[in-house]
Amino acid sequence: MLHHVELWVPDLPRATRSWGWLLGRLGWRPYRSWENGRSWRLGGTYLVVEQSPAMSAGTHDRLRPGLNHLAFHAGPATRVDALAAEAPDHGWTPLFPDRYPHAGGPGHYAAYLVDADGFEAELVASAPEAGPDRPELR
């Protein structure tokens, strides 16, 4: 199990607004707060956004070596749809909107979002239950 993830951000208030909204909607709860950072926790894992004075650059580029994105279980497809619709009001921009919700392939239902600082979050829908109407899932 993942213990924690720490994102160094150039603007803590902006990151707190966007990540705080998203994590809160996904069931994460505020964990710790200090002058340069905030964290949210779900189970044994926590996520930190920090505006560290030790940062060596002012921007993040998800296309360079390093972290590309964080992917979260987001519940059923209807919940992914709701989050994707709400996200722009909270500092997130949809990625690949012309291929939503299957930008990850025909069997993958997800919303891809990017915040104002270039951090990407993928909201993955839970797999539908196998049954008589979905034999391919057995």
Side-chain angles (χ1 to χ4, degrees):
M1 176 177 230
L2 188 64
H3 187 270
H4 75 274
V5 173
E6 188 166 323
L7 302 176
W8 282 12
V9 298
D11 185 306
L12 181 61
R14 182 172 58 218
T16 299
R17 280 190 304 276
S18 60
W19 284 100
W21 169 81
L22 180 61
L23 295 170
R25 292 286 280 127
L26 293 173
W28 295 63
R29 297 291 169 241
Y31 180 47
R32 294 195 172 135
S33 179
W34 61 101
E35 182 182 353
N36 295 322
R38 306 289 179 271
S39 65
W40 294 264
R41 183 177 201 107
L42 182 65
T45 305
Y46 65 94
L47 189 141
V48 174
V49 294
E50 182 176 1
Q51 188 172 349
S52 173
M55 281 190 302
S56 63
T59 60
H60 168 75
D61 184 343
R62 68 183 184 79
L63 300 177
R64 295 186 67 182
L67 179 71
N68 176 266
H69 70 279
L70 297 174
F72 297 92
H73 293 283
T78 54
R79 186 159 185 239
V80 171
D81 292 341
L83 291 168
E86 296 170 20
D89 293 336
H90 300 279
W92 296 93
T93 301
L95 287 172
F96 325 116
D98 57 321
R99 294 183 279 160
Y100 178 78
H102 299 292
H108 187 69
Y109 198 104
Y112 295 84
L113 308 170
V114 64
D115 75 359
D117 295 314
F119 289 96
E120 181 183 341
E122 178 182 351
L123 307 179
V124 182
S126 51
E129 295 295 321
D133 58 330
R134 301 293 306 264
E136 73 276 14
L137 298 174
R138 287 192 204 139

Short mmCIF file of all heavy atoms in Angstrom, two decimals, residues 71-127:
data_model
loop_
_atom_site.label_atom_id
_atom_site.label_comp_id
_atom_site.label_asym_id
_atom_site.label_seq_id
_atom_site.Cartn_x
_atom_site.Cartn_y
_atom_site.Cartn_z
N ALA A 71 -3.63 8.59 -10.39
CA ALA A 71 -4.91 7.99 -10.77
C ALA A 71 -5.65 7.55 -9.51
O ALA A 71 -5.06 6.91 -8.64
CB ALA A 71 -4.69 6.80 -11.71
N PHE A 72 -6.93 7.90 -9.44
CA PHE A 72 -7.75 7.62 -8.27
C PHE A 72 -8.95 6.76 -8.65
O PHE A 72 -9.56 6.97 -9.69
CB PHE A 72 -8.29 8.93 -7.67
CG PHE A 72 -7.24 9.86 -7.17
CD1 PHE A 72 -6.72 10.85 -8.00
CD2 PHE A 72 -6.77 9.77 -5.87
CE1 PHE A 72 -5.74 11.71 -7.54
CE2 PHE A 72 -5.80 10.64 -5.40
CZ PHE A 72 -5.28 11.61 -6.23
N HIS A 73 -9.29 5.81 -7.78
CA HIS A 73 -10.57 5.11 -7.90
C HIS A 73 -11.65 6.16 -7.61
O HIS A 73 -11.60 6.84 -6.59
CB HIS A 73 -10.69 3.99 -6.86
CG HIS A 73 -9.74 2.87 -7.09
ND1 HIS A 73 -9.93 1.92 -8.06
CD2 HIS A 73 -8.58 2.54 -6.46
CE1 HIS A 73 -8.94 1.05 -8.02
NE2 HIS A 73 -8.10 1.40 -7.06
N ALA A 74 -12.61 6.29 -8.50
CA ALA A 74 -13.62 7.34 -8.33
C ALA A 74 -15.05 6.81 -8.23
O ALA A 74 -15.98 7.60 -8.20
CB ALA A 74 -13.52 8.33 -9.49
N GLY A 75 -15.24 5.51 -8.18
CA GLY A 75 -16.59 4.96 -8.07
C GLY A 75 -17.19 4.68 -9.43
O GLY A 75 -16.48 4.58 -10.43
N PRO A 76 -18.50 4.57 -9.49
CA PRO A 76 -19.16 4.22 -10.75
C PRO A 76 -19.01 5.32 -11.80
O PRO A 76 -18.69 6.47 -11.48
CB PRO A 76 -20.62 4.02 -10.36
CG PRO A 76 -20.78 4.69 -9.05
CD PRO A 76 -19.45 4.73 -8.39
N ALA A 77 -19.29 4.96 -13.04
CA ALA A 77 -19.16 5.89 -14.16
C ALA A 77 -19.99 7.16 -13.94
O ALA A 77 -19.55 8.26 -14.30
CB ALA A 77 -19.57 5.20 -15.46
N THR A 78 -21.16 7.03 -13.33
CA THR A 78 -21.98 8.22 -13.10
C THR A 78 -21.29 9.22 -12.17
O THR A 78 -21.43 10.42 -12.33
CB THR A 78 -23.35 7.83 -12.50
OG1 THR A 78 -23.14 7.04 -11.33
CG2 THR A 78 -24.19 7.07 -13.51
N ARG A 79 -20.52 8.71 -11.23
CA ARG A 79 -19.77 9.60 -10.32
C ARG A 79 -18.60 10.25 -11.06
O ARG A 79 -18.31 11.42 -10.86
CB ARG A 79 -19.27 8.82 -9.11
CG ARG A 79 -18.62 9.73 -8.08
CD ARG A 79 -18.61 9.08 -6.72
NE ARG A 79 -18.09 10.00 -5.73
CZ ARG A 79 -17.03 9.75 -4.97
NH1 ARG A 79 -16.39 8.61 -5.09
NH2 ARG A 79 -16.63 10.63 -4.10
N VAL A 80 -17.92 9.49 -11.92
CA VAL A 80 -16.85 10.07 -12.74
C VAL A 80 -17.42 11.19 -13.59
O VAL A 80 -16.84 12.27 -13.69
CB VAL A 80 -16.16 8.99 -13.61
CG1 VAL A 80 -15.20 9.62 -14.62
CG2 VAL A 80 -15.43 7.99 -12.73
N ASP A 81 -18.58 10.96 -14.19
CA ASP A 81 -19.23 11.99 -15.01
C ASP A 81 -19.52 13.24 -14.19
O ASP A 81 -19.29 14.37 -14.64
CB ASP A 81 -20.54 11.47 -15.61
CG ASP A 81 -20.33 10.39 -16.65
OD1 ASP A 81 -19.20 10.26 -17.20
OD2 ASP A 81 -21.30 9.63 -16.91
N ALA A 82 -20.05 13.07 -13.00
CA ALA A 82 -20.38 14.21 -12.14
C ALA A 82 -19.12 14.98 -11.75
O ALA A 82 -19.09 16.23 -11.80
CB ALA A 82 -21.12 13.74 -10.89
N LEU A 83 -18.07 14.28 -11.37
CA LEU A 83 -16.82 14.94 -11.00
C LEU A 83 -16.22 15.68 -12.20
O LEU A 83 -15.74 16.81 -12.05
CB LEU A 83 -15.82 13.92 -10.44
CG LEU A 83 -16.17 13.33 -9.08
CD1 LEU A 83 -15.29 12.13 -8.78
CD2 LEU A 83 -16.06 14.38 -8.00
N ALA A 84 -16.24 15.06 -13.35
CA ALA A 84 -15.70 15.70 -14.56
C ALA A 84 -16.48 16.97 -14.89
O ALA A 84 -15.90 17.97 -15.30
CB ALA A 84 -15.74 14.72 -15.73
N ALA A 85 -17.78 16.95 -14.67
CA ALA A 85 -18.61 18.14 -14.94
C ALA A 85 -18.34 19.26 -13.94
O ALA A 85 -18.36 20.44 -14.30
CB ALA A 85 -20.09 17.75 -14.92
N GLU A 86 -18.09 18.91 -12.68
CA GLU A 86 -17.85 19.91 -11.63
C GLU A 86 -16.43 20.45 -11.64
O GLU A 86 -16.18 21.57 -11.18
CB GLU A 86 -18.09 19.28 -10.25
CG GLU A 86 -19.51 18.84 -9.98
CD GLU A 86 -19.60 18.01 -8.69
OE1 GLU A 86 -18.69 18.08 -7.85
OE2 GLU A 86 -20.60 17.27 -8.56
N ALA A 87 -15.48 19.67 -12.12
CA ALA A 87 -14.05 19.98 -11.99
C ALA A 87 -13.65 21.37 -12.52
O ALA A 87 -12.86 22.06 -11.86
CB ALA A 87 -13.23 18.89 -12.67
N PRO A 88 -14.15 21.83 -13.67
CA PRO A 88 -13.72 23.15 -14.14
C PRO A 88 -14.04 24.30 -13.18
O PRO A 88 -13.32 25.30 -13.16
CB PRO A 88 -14.47 23.30 -15.47
CG PRO A 88 -14.66 21.89 -15.95
CD PRO A 88 -14.93 21.11 -14.68
N ASP A 89 -15.08 24.14 -12.37
CA ASP A 89 -15.41 25.17 -11.38
C ASP A 89 -14.45 25.19 -10.20
O ASP A 89 -14.55 26.06 -9.34
CB ASP A 89 -16.84 24.97 -10.86
CG ASP A 89 -17.89 25.21 -11.91
OD1 ASP A 89 -17.61 25.96 -12.88
OD2 ASP A 89 -18.98 24.64 -11.78
N HIS A 90 -13.52 24.22 -10.18
CA HIS A 90 -12.61 24.09 -9.04
C HIS A 90 -11.14 24.06 -9.47
O HIS A 90 -10.29 23.51 -8.78
CB HIS A 90 -12.96 22.83 -8.25
CG HIS A 90 -14.36 22.87 -7.73
ND1 HIS A 90 -14.72 23.55 -6.59
CD2 HIS A 90 -15.50 22.37 -8.23
CE1 HIS A 90 -16.01 23.44 -6.40
NE2 HIS A 90 -16.51 22.73 -7.39
N GLY A 91 -10.86 24.65 -10.63
CA GLY A 91 -9.48 24.81 -11.07
C GLY A 91 -8.92 23.70 -11.94
O GLY A 91 -7.73 23.67 -12.21
N TRP A 92 -9.77 22.79 -12.39
CA TRP A 92 -9.33 21.68 -13.23
C TRP A 92 -9.80 21.88 -14.66
O TRP A 92 -10.93 22.32 -14.89
CB TRP A 92 -9.87 20.36 -12.69
CG TRP A 92 -9.34 20.01 -11.34
CD1 TRP A 92 -9.93 20.30 -10.13
CD2 TRP A 92 -8.13 19.35 -11.04
NE1 TRP A 92 -9.14 19.83 -9.11
CE2 TRP A 92 -8.03 19.25 -9.64
CE3 TRP A 92 -7.10 18.82 -11.83
CZ2 TRP A 92 -6.95 18.63 -9.02
CZ3 TRP A 92 -6.03 18.21 -11.21
CH2 TRP A 92 -5.95 18.12 -9.81
N THR A 93 -8.97 21.48 -15.61
CA THR A 93 -9.31 21.53 -17.03
C THR A 93 -9.31 20.10 -17.56
O THR A 93 -8.39 19.33 -17.25
CB THR A 93 -8.25 22.35 -17.80
OG1 THR A 93 -8.21 23.67 -17.26
CG2 THR A 93 -8.56 22.42 -19.29
N PRO A 94 -10.32 19.72 -18.34
CA PRO A 94 -10.32 18.36 -18.88
C PRO A 94 -9.21 18.17 -19.92
O PRO A 94 -8.95 19.06 -20.73
CB PRO A 94 -11.70 18.22 -19.53
CG PRO A 94 -12.28 19.58 -19.62
CD PRO A 94 -11.50 20.48 -18.72
N LEU A 95 -8.58 17.01 -19.87
CA LEU A 95 -7.63 16.60 -20.91
C LEU A 95 -8.36 15.62 -21.83
O LEU A 95 -9.20 14.86 -21.38
CB LEU A 95 -6.43 15.89 -20.29
CG LEU A 95 -5.42 16.75 -19.54
CD1 LEU A 95 -4.40 15.85 -18.84
CD2 LEU A 95 -4.72 17.70 -20.48
N PHE A 96 -8.02 15.65 -23.10
CA PHE A 96 -8.59 14.72 -24.08
C PHE A 96 -10.13 14.75 -24.10
O PHE A 96 -10.77 13.70 -24.16
CB PHE A 96 -8.11 13.29 -23.82
CG PHE A 96 -6.70 13.18 -23.32
CD1 PHE A 96 -6.44 12.68 -22.05
CD2 PHE A 96 -5.64 13.60 -24.11
CE1 PHE A 96 -5.14 12.57 -21.57
CE2 PHE A 96 -4.33 13.51 -23.62
CZ PHE A 96 -4.08 13.00 -22.36
N PRO A 97 -10.76 15.93 -24.04
CA PRO A 97 -12.23 15.97 -23.98
C PRO A 97 -12.90 15.34 -25.19
O PRO A 97 -14.01 14.82 -25.07
CB PRO A 97 -12.55 17.46 -23.88
CG PRO A 97 -11.36 18.16 -24.43
CD PRO A 97 -10.19 17.27 -24.11
N ASP A 98 -12.23 15.33 -26.32
CA ASP A 98 -12.81 14.74 -27.53
C ASP A 98 -12.87 13.22 -27.44
O ASP A 98 -13.59 12.58 -28.22
CB ASP A 98 -12.01 15.16 -28.76
CG ASP A 98 -10.54 14.78 -28.68
OD1 ASP A 98 -9.95 14.90 -27.58
OD2 ASP A 98 -9.98 14.36 -29.70
N ARG A 99 -12.14 12.63 -26.49
CA ARG A 99 -12.14 11.17 -26.33
C ARG A 99 -12.75 10.73 -25.01
O ARG A 99 -12.67 9.56 -24.66
CB ARG A 99 -10.71 10.64 -26.46
CG ARG A 99 -10.16 10.84 -27.87
CD ARG A 99 -8.79 10.25 -28.01
NE ARG A 99 -7.82 11.20 -27.45
CZ ARG A 99 -6.60 10.88 -27.07
NH1 ARG A 99 -6.18 9.64 -27.15
NH2 ARG A 99 -5.79 11.79 -26.60
N TYR A 100 -13.37 11.66 -24.28
CA TYR A 100 -13.98 11.32 -22.99
C TYR A 100 -15.17 10.41 -23.22
O TYR A 100 -15.97 10.65 -24.12
CB TYR A 100 -14.45 12.59 -22.27
CG TYR A 100 -15.13 12.30 -20.95
CD1 TYR A 100 -14.37 12.00 -19.84
CD2 TYR A 100 -16.51 12.26 -20.84
CE1 TYR A 100 -14.98 11.69 -18.62
CE2 TYR A 100 -17.12 11.96 -19.64
CZ TYR A 100 -16.34 11.68 -18.54
OH TYR A 100 -16.94 11.37 -17.35
N PRO A 101 -15.35 9.39 -22.45
CA PRO A 101 -14.62 8.94 -21.27
C PRO A 101 -13.64 7.80 -21.55
O PRO A 101 -13.19 7.12 -20.63
CB PRO A 101 -15.73 8.46 -20.35
CG PRO A 101 -16.72 7.84 -21.30
CD PRO A 101 -16.65 8.69 -22.55
N HIS A 102 -13.30 7.56 -22.82
CA HIS A 102 -12.48 6.40 -23.16
C HIS A 102 -11.11 6.79 -23.71
O HIS A 102 -10.57 6.08 -24.56
CB HIS A 102 -13.23 5.49 -24.14
CG HIS A 102 -14.51 4.95 -23.58
ND1 HIS A 102 -14.53 4.04 -22.54
CD2 HIS A 102 -15.79 5.23 -23.87
CE1 HIS A 102 -15.78 3.75 -22.24
NE2 HIS A 102 -16.57 4.47 -23.03
N ALA A 103 -10.53 7.89 -23.23
CA ALA A 103 -9.21 8.30 -23.70
C ALA A 103 -8.14 7.26 -23.37
O ALA A 103 -7.13 7.17 -24.06
CB ALA A 103 -8.82 9.65 -23.09
N GLY A 104 -8.38 6.44 -22.36
CA GLY A 104 -7.44 5.39 -21.97
C GLY A 104 -7.68 4.08 -22.71
O GLY A 104 -7.02 3.09 -22.42
N GLY A 105 -8.62 4.07 -23.63
CA GLY A 105 -8.94 2.86 -24.38
C GLY A 105 -10.40 2.49 -24.22
O GLY A 105 -11.08 2.98 -23.31
N PRO A 106 -10.92 1.64 -25.09
CA PRO A 106 -12.35 1.32 -25.08
C PRO A 106 -12.85 0.65 -23.81
O PRO A 106 -14.00 0.79 -23.45
CB PRO A 106 -12.54 0.41 -26.30
CG PRO A 106 -11.18 -0.08 -26.65
CD PRO A 106 -10.20 0.94 -26.15
N GLY A 107 -12.01 -0.06 -23.08
CA GLY A 107 -12.46 -0.74 -21.87
C GLY A 107 -12.12 0.03 -20.59
O GLY A 107 -12.22 -0.52 -19.50
N HIS A 108 -11.71 1.29 -20.74
CA HIS A 108 -11.28 2.09 -19.58
C HIS A 108 -12.10 3.37 -19.53
O HIS A 108 -12.03 4.20 -20.42
CB HIS A 108 -9.79 2.42 -19.73
CG HIS A 108 -9.18 3.07 -18.54
ND1 HIS A 108 -8.98 2.42 -17.35
CD2 HIS A 108 -8.72 4.32 -18.36
CE1 HIS A 108 -8.42 3.25 -16.49
NE2 HIS A 108 -8.25 4.41 -17.08
N TYR A 109 -12.89 3.53 -18.48
CA TYR A 109 -13.78 4.69 -18.31
C TYR A 109 -13.14 5.61 -17.29
O TYR A 109 -13.01 5.26 -16.11
CB TYR A 109 -15.15 4.23 -17.82
CG TYR A 109 -16.25 5.24 -18.01
CD1 TYR A 109 -17.19 5.08 -19.03
CD2 TYR A 109 -16.36 6.35 -17.17
CE1 TYR A 109 -18.22 5.99 -19.20
CE2 TYR A 109 -17.39 7.27 -17.35
CZ TYR A 109 -18.30 7.08 -18.36
OH TYR A 109 -19.32 8.00 -18.54
N ALA A 110 -12.71 6.80 -17.73
CA ALA A 110 -12.00 7.71 -16.82
C ALA A 110 -12.09 9.14 -17.31
O ALA A 110 -12.27 9.40 -18.50
CB ALA A 110 -10.54 7.30 -16.70
N ALA A 111 -11.94 10.05 -16.37
CA ALA A 111 -11.79 11.48 -16.67
C ALA A 111 -10.35 11.84 -16.39
O ALA A 111 -9.78 11.47 -15.36
CB ALA A 111 -12.72 12.31 -15.79
N TYR A 112 -9.75 12.57 -17.31
CA TYR A 112 -8.38 13.05 -17.15
C TYR A 112 -8.47 14.55 -16.97
O TYR A 112 -9.06 15.26 -17.80
CB TYR A 112 -7.55 12.72 -18.39
CG TYR A 112 -7.37 11.24 -18.60
CD1 TYR A 112 -8.33 10.47 -19.25
CD2 TYR A 112 -6.22 10.60 -18.13
CE1 TYR A 112 -8.17 9.11 -19.43
CE2 TYR A 112 -6.05 9.23 -18.32
CZ TYR A 112 -7.02 8.50 -18.97
OH TYR A 112 -6.86 7.14 -19.15
N LEU A 113 -7.89 15.04 -15.87
CA LEU A 113 -7.97 16.46 -15.53
C LEU A 113 -6.57 16.99 -15.27
O LEU A 113 -5.69 16.26 -14.82
CB LEU A 113 -8.80 16.64 -14.25
CG LEU A 113 -10.18 16.01 -14.22
CD1 LEU A 113 -10.76 16.07 -12.81
CD2 LEU A 113 -11.10 16.69 -15.22
N VAL A 114 -6.38 18.29 -15.54
CA VAL A 114 -5.11 18.93 -15.23
C VAL A 114 -5.40 20.22 -14.48
O VAL A 114 -6.36 20.94 -14.81
CB VAL A 114 -4.26 19.17 -16.51
CG1 VAL A 114 -4.93 20.14 -17.47
CG2 VAL A 114 -2.86 19.62 -16.16
N ASP A 115 -4.62 20.50 -13.43
CA ASP A 115 -4.85 21.73 -12.67
C ASP A 115 -4.03 22.88 -13.25
O ASP A 115 -3.29 22.70 -14.23
CB ASP A 115 -4.59 21.51 -11.17
CG ASP A 115 -3.12 21.42 -10.78
OD1 ASP A 115 -2.22 21.50 -11.65
OD2 ASP A 115 -2.86 21.25 -9.58
N ALA A 116 -4.16 24.05 -12.68
CA ALA A 116 -3.50 25.25 -13.19
C ALA A 116 -1.98 25.14 -13.16
O ALA A 116 -1.30 25.87 -13.89
CB ALA A 116 -3.95 26.47 -12.40
N ASP A 117 -1.44 24.24 -12.36
CA ASP A 117 0.01 24.08 -12.26
C ASP A 117 0.53 22.91 -13.08
O ASP A 117 1.71 22.57 -13.01
CB ASP A 117 0.42 23.92 -10.80
CG ASP A 117 0.13 25.19 -10.02
OD1 ASP A 117 0.46 26.29 -10.53
OD2 ASP A 117 -0.45 25.10 -8.92
N GLY A 118 -0.35 22.27 -13.86
CA GLY A 118 0.08 21.20 -14.74
C GLY A 118 0.06 19.81 -14.15
O GLY A 118 0.50 18.85 -14.78
N PHE A 119 -0.47 19.66 -12.93
CA PHE A 119 -0.57 18.33 -12.33
C PHE A 119 -1.83 17.64 -12.86
O PHE A 119 -2.90 18.24 -12.89
CB PHE A 119 -0.64 18.42 -10.80
CG PHE A 119 0.67 18.81 -10.18
CD1 PHE A 119 0.92 20.13 -9.84
CD2 PHE A 119 1.65 17.86 -9.94
CE1 PHE A 119 2.12 20.50 -9.27
CE2 PHE A 119 2.86 18.22 -9.37
CZ PHE A 119 3.10 19.55 -9.03
N GLU A 120 -1.68 16.38 -13.25
CA GLU A 120 -2.78 15.63 -13.82
C GLU A 120 -3.35 14.64 -12.81
O GLU A 120 -2.60 13.98 -12.08
CB GLU A 120 -2.31 14.86 -15.05
CG GLU A 120 -3.39 14.05 -15.73
CD GLU A 120 -2.88 13.25 -16.91
OE1 GLU A 120 -1.81 13.55 -17.45
OE2 GLU A 120 -3.58 12.28 -17.29
N ALA A 121 -4.66 14.54 -12.80
CA ALA A 121 -5.36 13.54 -12.01
C ALA A 121 -6.25 12.74 -12.96
O ALA A 121 -6.91 13.31 -13.83
CB ALA A 121 -6.21 14.19 -10.92
N GLU A 122 -6.24 11.44 -12.80
CA GLU A 122 -7.10 10.55 -13.58
C GLU A 122 -8.13 9.96 -12.62
O GLU A 122 -7.77 9.41 -11.59
CB GLU A 122 -6.27 9.43 -14.21
CG GLU A 122 -7.08 8.43 -14.99
CD GLU A 122 -6.23 7.31 -15.57
OE1 GLU A 122 -4.99 7.38 -15.51
OE2 GLU A 122 -6.83 6.34 -16.08
N LEU A 123 -9.39 10.12 -12.97
CA LEU A 123 -10.48 9.60 -12.14
C LEU A 123 -11.04 8.36 -12.84
O LEU A 123 -11.70 8.46 -13.87
CB LEU A 123 -11.57 10.66 -11.97
CG LEU A 123 -11.08 12.02 -11.46
CD1 LEU A 123 -12.23 12.98 -11.35
CD2 LEU A 123 -10.34 11.86 -10.15
N VAL A 124 -10.76 7.21 -12.28
CA VAL A 124 -11.08 5.93 -12.91
C VAL A 124 -12.37 5.37 -12.35
O VAL A 124 -12.55 5.26 -11.13
CB VAL A 124 -9.93 4.92 -12.69
CG1 VAL A 124 -10.23 3.59 -13.37
CG2 VAL A 124 -8.61 5.50 -13.17
N ALA A 125 -13.27 5.01 -13.25
CA ALA A 125 -14.54 4.40 -12.84
C ALA A 125 -14.31 2.96 -12.44
O ALA A 125 -13.47 2.25 -13.01
CB ALA A 125 -15.55 4.45 -13.99
N SER A 126 -15.06 2.53 -11.43
CA SER A 126 -14.99 1.13 -11.02
C SER A 126 -15.54 0.27 -12.15
O SER A 126 -16.40 0.70 -12.92
CB SER A 126 -15.78 0.91 -9.73
OG SER A 126 -17.08 1.43 -9.85
N ALA A 127 -15.02 -0.94 -12.23
CA ALA A 127 -15.46 -1.85 -13.29
C ALA A 127 -16.91 -2.26 -13.04
O ALA A 127 -17.31 -2.50 -11.91
CB ALA A 127 -14.57 -3.09 -13.31
#
